[in-house]
Amino acid sequence: MATQDQEVLDLAESRRDYKYGWTTDIEQEFAPIGLSEDTVRFISAKKNEPEWLLEWRLKALRLFTKMTCPEWPFLPYGYEKPDFQAISYWAAPKQGPKSLDEIDPRILETYAKLGIPLEEAKVLLGVEGAAASAAEGKAKAKAMAAAQAEFETGAVSAEPRKVAVDAVFDSVSVKTTFQDELARAGVIFCSISEATHSHPDLVRKYLGSVVPVADNYYAALNSAVFSDGSFVYIPKGCKCPMDLSTYFRINAKGTGQFERTLIIADEGSEVCYLEGCTAPQRDENQLHAAVVELVAHKGAKIKYSTIQNWYPGDENGKGGIFNFVTKRGLCEGDDSHISWTQVETGSAITWKYPSVVLKGDRSKGEFYSVALTNLRQQADTGTKMIHIGRDTSSHIISKGISAGHGHNTYRGLVEVRKTATNARNFTQCDSLLIGDQCGAHTFPYIDVRNQTATCEHEASTTKIAEDQMFYCTARGISEEDAVSLLVNGFCKQVFSELPMEFAVEANKLLAVSLEGSVG
Amino acid sequence: MTPLLQIDNLHASVGEVSILKGINLTINPGEVHAIMGPNGSGKSTLSQILAGKEDYAITQGTVAYNGKDLLGLGPDERANEGIFLAFQYPVEIPGVSAMQFLKAAVNAKRKHHGEEELDAGSMLKLFREKAAQVKINPEMLKRNVNEGFSGGEKKRFEIFQMAVLDSVLGILDESDSGLDIDALKVVSDGVNSMRNGKRGFLLVTHYQRLLEHIVPDFIHVLVKGRIVESGGREVALELEKNGYAKYGIYQPAKH
Ligand SMILES: Nc1ncnc2c1ncn2[C@@H]1O[C@H](COP(=O)(O)OP(=O)(O)OP(=O)(O)O)[C@@H](O)[C@H]1O
Ligand SMILES: [Mg+2]
């Protein structure tokens, strides 16, 4: 994140424009265009993968070619299905960097511009101001940063923490920070390509264990051609000493991004993981089909937060990212806990249902979501909570905001299997409409096979209230700022789940995404 | 001297119903004016029109603020130029903390005047100072705007906002209603501490009790959309005694 001042300037200048729409001009290497066994072999060879992984990919490709694209997502504007033979499945900067010094300065610049610190000196993600003013006294700076965050989010302030970053540029991870410090705690945090070499047993054991290769159409495609992503292993009893994050940047034209992330939290461990994404502004649609798998063993806790700000396309619905993502967590052990928090503001189309399989007894799944559609964006998103173990519980808070000509759909499944005695679910699903050209849709599915289960569902659809608007404007707040303030209030329950710095960012992002939606 | 506020022959209506029927009122810098009048006579309508509420059609008349047309400005511009309306019924804003809300308001005003945004530290300091001045607990600022505030807390929070935003023309729509004796004193002290040669106030009230605490320069009686009488203290005392009967308005007996 840039300094606060820069943020404010950017906010003032960017208006409705997508602020991350630029490209980095850099020499890149591409896979031959089109999808085939050769493509898969090319990618696997590039990454120097073991034979089993190549076989795994080829199997996925064979299954993919027999599958058909899902038709059930709600897309009132329709879309043109991606032509899999027209894109390249691999794009990487030509120079393969090993240390920070070797990274192409233009890539470093890219991440600096995005506000992602790749230099370990700049560790205070989101509160660089605090680091910069170190001369004034660290304590004071910290207090200031905390006060700032309290203002921005209303959240109870916490100390800024260290964040390790894995930066994925198109198809490859260009840098993972703090690896040494993490290694001392026994934490493995690296790109998944690296992990296939350094920790092949772990990768082989868990890859596809939560999302099988043929789970769904885009998961199968991802399994065949996935390029890079993050790998995390938290050892038994370890509370990860810092937050981990991956930052995805699509840069190259005519490509897709197919990342794969795998996080394993061993018994009694805890980790907080953050994910952010942006892409250049282009007239063509670009495909982002990721798979994220989480495994929480006995007593482990994984908290996964996403801020998705892919390019959304223009007001006529031209361009933008197709974000077709499979995210699933397995609460494998008793008393394990997986929590998804997502703030989805970008992409032309989003299909995404971060889910939790509650296998362990007393395991707990949570889903907190803010999805905003403006312009002609179409989002079909929600969650699945699959209760298998006894006394499992799930909690779903979904906040959908529709503005402009956007269409926002919540689709959620709560499934209670026979074995899930005393399962509990609470679902709250709120929609907010801004203007009268947009839409909000809700499809809750509940499938209960055990009499002892309790499922609660609450839903509401509201508009921005006139008297609230007047109360704000009568205090000098512009209409546009008033809307984003009210929307921010609407999202509070979700934002309060985010780490402080992310909450500040999410808040600003909403404001930018809503610009031009009133009046 | 340019009047702070000059209302000339103001007519306003909602749909077919006309509510204000020719209001004339001049407030000079430093003056405190009180408006009294029966329920439904148009006091809140006048207050809200001055603050820029768009529900009303202005069918005739003009309003000048510091010698410049007011009616052409949006509510946010008016506020940033120093007009403050303490609402009769302050609204709740779920999920938005009082701090966050006021920070947005303070910075909007600063931006309007070409000043830099206030940093978080100075902002907190300002809030603490003003909270002490109007005797509200700063802890209240961590709560969502007006959410779960008691009636009296809401009114005090309005006065707090007026102090923070350092308004030039304060319009208080029944800020005394529903207050206990101590809270009434807090609200009155808040206003009195802001009184000076530049600021003006328009107090809407039903009770002359408030006017014992904040002694106005003028009292006006608003009936059916018109100011039917203006004068000093004696007007309020007379109303307290005899109600609005002499203006041809039936008032139910007082409890
Ligand atoms: N938006 C509106 N739509 C319809 N009628 C309105 C509207 N606003 C005000 N009125 C009507 O105008 C009249 C004056 O209302 P107003 O709220 O200004 O009265 P008031 O003097 O403030 O009364 P009170 O002492 O009860 O607060 C009332 O009859 C009210 O119903
Ligand atoms: Mg009133």
Side-chain angles (χ1 to χ4, degrees):
Chain A
M1 185 179 307
T3 62
Q4 296 291 347
D5 289 350
Q6 189 56 46
E7 276 302 324
V8 173
L9 269 181
D10 288 349
L11 269 180
E13 275 170 9
S14 61
R15 306 297 303 161
R16 183 152 93 197
D17 297 339
Y18 181 72
K19 130 183 188 199
Y20 304 106
W22 38 269
T23 44
T24 306
D25 189 11
I26 186 171
E27 251 193 296
Q28 284 188 294
E29 191 181 1
F30 294 90
I33 286 170
L35 181 64
S36 65
E37 268 200 32
D38 288 346
T39 309
V40 172
R41 287 180 194 282
F42 175 93
I43 294 169
S44 193
K46 271 286 160 202
K47 291 150 63 83
N48 201 14
E49 282 176 352
E51 189 60 27
W52 70 265
L53 191 49
L54 174 62
E55 287 308 320
W56 192 83
R57 285 175 178 277
L58 291 171
K59 181 176 141 205
L61 180 68
R62 282 194 296 276
L63 290 166
F64 173 74
T65 48
K66 289 188 201 123
M67 295 167 87
T68 50
C69 184
E71 301 290 345
W72 47 263
F74 186 70
L75 299 169
Y77 299 130
Y79 77 115
E80 204 175 310
K81 286 189 182 131
D83 178 355
F84 298 113
Q85 300 309 336
I87 58 175
S88 169
Y89 291 82
W90 169 269
K94 267 200 173 149
Q95 267 183 329
K98 283 289 159 280
S99 81
L100 199 60
D101 306 333
E102 287 173 38
I103 297 180
D104 188 311
R106 280 165 298 186
I107 292 181
L108 281 183
E109 221 172 87
T110 302
Y111 283 92
K113 224 163 137 186
L114 293 167
I116 311 302
L118 295 188
E119 292 159 51
E120 296 185 1
K122 293 184 182 174
V123 292
L124 302 171
L125 181 68
V127 278
E128 266 186 76
S133 55
E136 290 175 33
K138 227 175 173 175
K140 189 181 161 202
K142 267 188 188 168
M144 285 280 286
Q148 185 71 32
E150 188 168 332
F151 275 122
E152 299 293 349
T153 62
V156 182
S157 45
E159 286 207 349
R161 290 143 307 159
K162 262 190 197 177
V163 179
V165 181
D166 183 19
V168 177
F169 192 83
D170 288 326
S171 305
V172 291
S173 167
V174 289
K175 169 75 185 170
T176 309
T177 61
F178 290 109
Q179 270 173 314
D180 296 346
E181 193 172 336
L182 288 165
R184 280 196 291 278
V187 172
I188 304 165
F189 180 40
C190 62
S191 72
I192 202 151
S193 311
E194 198 179 322
T196 53
H197 298 289
S198 58
H199 303 87
D201 297 346
L202 283 174
V203 174
R204 194 165 184 179
K205 180 170 173 195
Y206 289 104
L207 189 72
S209 69
V210 186
V211 179
V213 285
D215 186 82
N216 67 69
Y217 190 65
Y218 281 103
L221 177 64
N222 174 287
S223 300
V225 299
F226 79 86
S227 38
D228 219 340
S230 301
F231 176 82
V232 175
Y233 173 80
I234 314 290
K236 275 185 191 166
C238 168
K239 274 194 176 183
C240 190
M242 65 184 85
D243 288 355
L244 307 181
S245 75
T246 304
Y247 194 87
F248 295 101
R249 172 75 179 167
I250 293 179
N251 188 60
K253 205 171 151 58
T255 59
Q257 193 177 48
F258 303 91
E259 94 261 2
R260 185 103 196 175
T261 291
L262 179 55
I263 300 178
I264 301 137
D266 216 328
E267 291 180 14
S269 69
E270 276 180 36
V271 63
C272 183
Y273 186 89
L274 320 167
E275 175 197 64
C277 357
T278 60
Q281 184 162 348
R282 293 220 174 84
D283 283 350
E284 61 175 20
N285 292 113
Q286 278 182 287
L287 180 60
H288 174 257
V291 173
V292 176
E293 298 175 280
L294 313 181
V295 180
H297 287 286
K298 194 172 167 190
K301 184 170 179 180
I302 303 175
K303 193 168 164 55
Y304 192 109
S305 311
T306 305
I307 292 194
Q308 184 266 107
N309 183 27
W310 297 119
Y311 176 57
D314 68 9
E315 62 271 25
N316 300 315
K318 199 168 170 56
I321 301 290
F322 291 161
N323 190 36
F324 301 155
V325 172
T326 306
K327 289 185 167 174
R328 194 174 304 154
L330 173 63
C331 280
E332 164 75 42
D334 294 348
D335 302 293
S336 56
H337 184 172
I338 289 178
S339 173
W340 297 102
T341 305
Q342 61 172 20
V343 178
E344 304 279 315
T345 63
S347 298
I349 300 178
T350 301
W351 299 346
K352 185 179 164 193
Y353 315 91
S355 307
V356 185
V357 179
L358 298 154
K359 192 171 159 208
D361 291 348
R362 294 174 303 281
S363 61
K364 195 172 164 186
E366 291 173 309
F367 175 72
Y368 299 94
S369 169
V370 166
L372 180 146
T373 51
N374 196 0
L375 308 165
R376 287 176 87 82
Q377 286 174 270
Q378 311 180 85
D380 190 316
T381 180
T383 184
K384 288 190 272 185
M385 294 289 176
I386 315 292
H387 293 257
I388 300 172
R390 297 173 65 96
D391 300 302
T392 47
S393 64
S394 60
H395 196 79
I396 299 170
I397 306 284
S398 161
K399 303 278 181 175
I401 303 147
S402 312
H405 290 81
H407 277 273
N408 211 319
T409 300
Y410 169 79
R411 187 183 302 276
L413 168 68
V414 176
E415 183 182 330
V416 178
R417 302 232 178 122
K418 270 205 190 91
T419 48
T421 304
N422 291 325
R424 291 184 310 281
N425 161 263
F426 174 78
T427 300
Q428 182 188 335
C429 186
D430 298 321
S431 306
L432 182 70
L433 298 169
I434 301 170
D436 52 9
Q437 304 291 310
C438 55
H441 319 275
T442 308
F443 301 102
Y445 306 91
I446 299 175
D447 178 8
V448 177
R449 303 288 164 94
N450 184 309
Q451 292 296 316
T452 61
T454 44
C455 294
E456 281 177 75
H457 184 97
E458 287 176 11
S460 74
T461 301
T462 46
K463 292 201 151 207
I464 295 256
E466 292 257 343
D467 58 345
Q468 290 178 346
M469 280 296 286
F470 182 56
Y471 193 76
C472 294
T473 54
R475 296 295 177 255
I477 300 167
S478 69
E479 263 187 45
E480 210 156 71
D481 290 350
V483 168
S484 71
L485 199 64
L486 297 178
V487 168
N488 184 252
F490 174 77
C491 302
K492 176 78 145 273
Q493 269 174 299
V494 174
F495 285 179
S496 63
E497 291 298 320
L498 289 170
M500 180 182 81
E501 303 84 351
F502 248 41
V504 173
E505 181 73 345
N507 198 349
K508 288 175 180 161
L509 190 55
L510 273 196
V512 174
S513 305
L514 280 169
E515 271 168 9
S517 64
V518 281
Chain B
M1 179 176 53
T2 316
L4 186 57
L5 185 75
Q6 185 160 13
I7 306 176
D8 269 319
N9 191 31
L10 184 68
H11 287 69
S13 54
V14 170
E16 298 289 287
V17 188
S18 92
I19 302 172
L20 302 184
K21 301 162 186 164
I23 304 273
N24 294 295
L25 178 68
T26 300
I27 301 178
N28 287 307
E31 290 178 357
V32 175
H33 290 237
I35 291 191
M36 303 182 77
N39 295 136
S41 57
K43 303 180 298 296
S44 292
T45 302
L46 175 62
S47 307
Q48 304 222 22
I49 284 174
L50 292 176
K53 183 136 180 152
E54 279 156 10
D55 298 9
Y56 306 95
I58 311 296
T59 50
Q60 260 189 75
T62 58
V63 180
Y65 175 66
N66 281 323
K68 280 183 269 180
D69 171 55
L70 181 70
L71 299 176
L73 301 181
D76 51 333
E77 294 169 296
R78 298 181 197 197
N80 291 329
E81 286 293 325
I83 291 183
F84 183 90
L85 169 64
F87 284 75
Q88 181 175 3
Y89 304 110
V91 299
E92 296 181 1
I93 306 189
V96 177
S97 77
M99 258 193 200
Q100 207 183 346
F101 178 76
L102 268 175
K103 181 198 174 211
V106 168
N107 280 335
K109 180 167 180 180
R110 294 182 70 90
K111 191 173 161 196
H112 178 81
H113 292 285
E115 294 162 0
E116 276 190 27
E117 294 201 349
L118 215 52
D119 64 71
S122 317
M123 190 77 76
L124 277 179
K125 197 167 151 244
L126 173 71
F127 291 173
R128 285 204 196 98
E129 214 175 277
K130 300 296 179 184
Q133 187 185 326
V134 300
K135 300 199 178 65
I136 66 156
N137 185 347
E139 284 299 305
M140 198 163 113
L141 302 179
K142 291 186 180 164
R143 290 165 59 183
N144 293 337
V145 175
N146 292 318
E147 213 175 57
F149 287 17
S150 75
E153 282 171 343
K154 284 184 184 168
K155 300 283 163 110
R156 268 194 282 172
F157 181 55
E158 295 289 293
I159 302 304
F160 169 72
Q161 294 179 56
M162 180 168 77
V164 167
L165 294 172
D166 194 24
S167 63
V168 182
L169 175 62
I171 302 164
L172 278 63
D173 191 358
E174 295 199 29
S175 294
D176 57 327
S177 292
L179 293 187
D180 64 36
I181 295 160
D182 294 336
L184 181 68
K185 185 137 178 18
V186 166
V187 166
S188 316
D189 289 351
V191 172
N192 286 330
S193 71
M194 286 179 75
R195 275 180 92 158
N196 65 18
K198 290 193 181 119
R199 291 202 179 92
F201 290 92
L202 185 61
L203 312 176
V204 172
T205 182
H206 286 295
Y207 308 105
Q208 84 96 21
R209 188 182 64 159
L210 174 73
L211 307 181
E212 281 168 12
H213 290 89
I214 312 171
V215 181
D217 300 295
F218 299 94
I219 298 175
H220 311 277
V221 181
L222 184 68
V223 176
K224 291 183 182 164
R226 285 189 188 91
I227 290 179
V228 293
E229 189 165 353
S230 296
R233 282 293 288 288
E234 70 288 351
V235 175
L237 291 169
E238 153 85 22
L239 279 180
E240 187 96 332
K241 225 159 97 198
N242 302 321
Y244 296 100
K246 85 170 194 194
Y247 307 109
I249 300 280
Y250 166 73
Q251 281 286 289
K254 285 209 184 88
H255 311 287

